Amino acid sequence: MKSWSQSSLQWRLTFSLLMATGLIWLLVLVMTWFKTEHELSELLDAHLAQTAAVLAVQTDDAHDDDFTTAAVLHKYQPRVAFQIWHDKALMARSAGAPIAPFAPLGQSGISDQWQGQKYWRVFATPGREEDVWVVVAELHSARNDILMAGLQSAIVPMLLALPVLAFLIWGAIFKSLAPLRQLSLSVSQRHPDARQPLSEQVSAEVKPLVEALNRLFEKMALQMEGERRFTADAAHELRTPIAAIRMQAQVARGAHEDIDRKSALDAVLQGCDRATRLVAQLLQLARLEADDAAGGVGHCDAVMETRTTLADLGSQALARWQNLSLNAPESLPLAMPPGLVGVLVGNLVDNAQRYSPEGASIHVQWHATPRPQLVVQDSGPGLNTADLARLGDRFFRVAANGADGSGLGWSIVRRLAQRYRLQVVVDRSAELGGLRVVVTWPEV
């Protein structure tokens, strides 16, 4: 059996509204009962008093010693009874009245009395003379019958209206929940590769859900696109170094001279290094796109990550006799997940090392004010205007340049800039003569 929270929303709303309506009706019924009973009691008590007053006025000293019983003129007449007493002797009574007094003689006013196994509402009053008493009584059951008859006239229409009300409530809720059913149908029939957002022409209550789903679909589309792009990049770029490694391995196996074999094996190692570097860059791109889809946020020390990254690139600089320097404050906190500053610095410095000649200088600077800023400049040949325009395209490499690269480094830099709203300016270094890259963080 389903719990209340797991049951149909339409059933819960219908049941809740009917229960609330029923409770309100019951409360109104109880209030009506007490109010009607009070008003009816006062009205009938007034009738009793009026009847007793009429009988009291009609009594006088000419009392007949003969006992008199009033005739029954109406079928409801036995519900009301009267007695006339003179000198504690019953002189007259109605047909339904007992012989014993309804109430103690000499006690005037309204009272409730049991008489003849019946419950009476009694009004007693003295007559025109002190020894004459007029007593008028009415059965409580008669009063209750009048009360119930009045209440039934209100209860029966309410009970008859309840099924109609339930149907109307059910229909109104069913129609009101139609956008949710339509939304559920649209999502269930949606193709996994669909990118178009759901229509936001819905009611105000459903619109936040549709907007949240559209944001989710957008993130999923970005993640799926990143996975497709990663697969395409890997298939496109890894094919070349793997083919080159295979070819050089075949050359090494068929070489008869040691020098030829050594040259082929060196080429195999270079191909392995390139494949390793390419895989690392592809994984960096995949990580950036995954972080973008997940909306990851964090903080790091930019200077510490830069020092670590430059230490890793030191061997490459030594191998080419390049001068690698850092000018930065002791610490610089940034609003970026840990590791990404190292990725950014690593790709910029790696590009500078590859496209700069042996013995070149590469300077890395960090400025903390007025906004965090990273400056990487080298003494290499720089780039012309056409190459600068294409900088950042995937797998774009500068023509007529002997540097061994995949063209993904600048794609990673551009992706980081888009993700964290970084401003990237590339121009010629006035200090070193080569390329200068300035990365500026947004104001917090």
Side-chain angles (χ1 to χ4, degrees), residues 126-417:
R128 300 178 67 179
E129 299 180 0
E130 293 181 358
D131 58 351
V132 176
W133 279 88
V134 177
V135 183
V136 182
E138 184 180 24
L139 286 171
H140 268 286
S141 60
R143 294 187 169 208
N144 292 336
D145 290 343
I146 298 174
L147 178 62
M148 291 304 299
L151 291 177
Q152 284 178 2
S153 63
I155 295 175
V156 172
M158 292 172 66
L159 293 177
L160 293 177
L162 191 59
V164 178
L165 181 62
F167 178 77
L168 293 177
I169 290 176
W170 182 87
I173 295 176
F174 182 83
K175 186 175 181 180
S176 300
L177 294 179
L180 282 178
R181 291 192 298 273
Q182 183 62 36
L183 178 62
S184 175
L185 181 63
S186 300
V187 174
S188 64
Q189 294 179 347
R190 187 182 179 89
H191 193 273
D193 293 332
R195 296 187 180 184
Q196 68 275 14
L198 297 172
S199 174
E200 296 186 3
Q201 300 299 320
V202 293
S203 60
E205 291 78 10
V206 183
K207 190 171 182 178
L209 175 61
V210 174
E211 292 175 347
L213 286 174
N214 285 336
R215 289 194 296 270
L216 176 62
F217 292 151
E218 183 179 357
K219 291 180 180 179
M220 292 175 61
L222 288 174
Q223 189 170 4
M224 293 175 64
E225 180 62 26
E227 293 175 355
R228 293 193 186 97
R229 197 158 50 225
F230 175 79
T231 303
D233 291 347
H236 175 273
E237 194 65 18
L238 287 175
R239 181 168 53 246
T240 300
I242 291 177
I245 292 173
R246 177 180 176 80
M247 183 185 66
Q248 294 298 333
Q250 290 176 339
V251 170
R253 187 176 63 175
H256 299 288
E257 300 292 335
D258 291 341
I259 188 172
D260 295 334
R261 186 180 298 106
K262 182 178 182 300
S263 177
L265 291 176
D266 288 341
V268 169
L269 292 176
Q270 292 176 359
C272 290
D273 292 339
R274 182 186 177 193
T276 301
R277 185 169 58 254
L278 180 61
V279 169
Q281 289 181 320
L282 288 171
L283 291 176
Q284 286 176 353
L285 273 176
R287 176 189 172 189
L288 290 176
E289 289 166 353
D291 288 343
D292 189 25
V297 178
H299 293 82
C300 67
D301 186 343
V303 175
M304 183 181 67
E305 290 198 16
T306 302
R307 289 195 179 101
T308 302
T309 302
L310 295 183
D312 294 337
L313 295 172
S315 58
Q316 182 176 331
L318 289 175
R320 303 192 63 190
W321 301 94
Q322 292 175 339
N323 179 25
L324 188 58
S325 63
L326 171 64
N327 183 11
E330 289 296 325
S331 176
L332 180 58
L334 285 181
M336 289 186 71
L340 293 189
V341 170
V343 172
L344 177 63
V345 173
N347 281 282
L348 291 177
V349 174
D350 181 71
N351 281 336
Q353 288 179 323
R354 293 183 183 282
Y355 290 93
S356 296
E358 293 185 358
S361 296
I362 301 170
H363 292 177
V364 179
Q365 294 174 297
W366 275 105
H367 302 288
T369 57
R371 291 187 293 173
Q373 190 177 74
L374 170 66
V375 180
V376 178
Q377 52 188 335
D378 60 63
S379 58
L383 295 174
N384 57 38
T385 304
D387 291 338
L388 281 174
R390 294 195 59 191
L391 198 61
D393 293 347
R394 288 193 173 193
F395 307 114
F396 168 72
R397 287 186 287 260
V398 178
N401 191 299
D404 183 18
S406 62
L408 286 176
W410 270 104
S411 297
I412 296 173
V413 172
R414 173 183 285 182
R415 193 70 192 91
L416 277 170

Side-chain angles (χ1 to χ4, degrees), residues 67-83 90 92-102 115-120 135-139:
F67 184 79
T68 302
T69 302
V72 178
L73 303 178
H74 193 273
K75 63 178 181 177
Y76 290 147
Q77 186 174 338
R79 297 182 177 186
V80 181
F82 71 89
Q83 296 173 333
L90 183 62
R93 70 183 179 92
S94 61
I99 298 176
F102 276 115
Q115 188 62 253
Q117 297 182 346
K118 295 180 180 179
Y119 194 41
W120 298 86
V135 183
V136 182
E138 184 180 24
L139 286 171

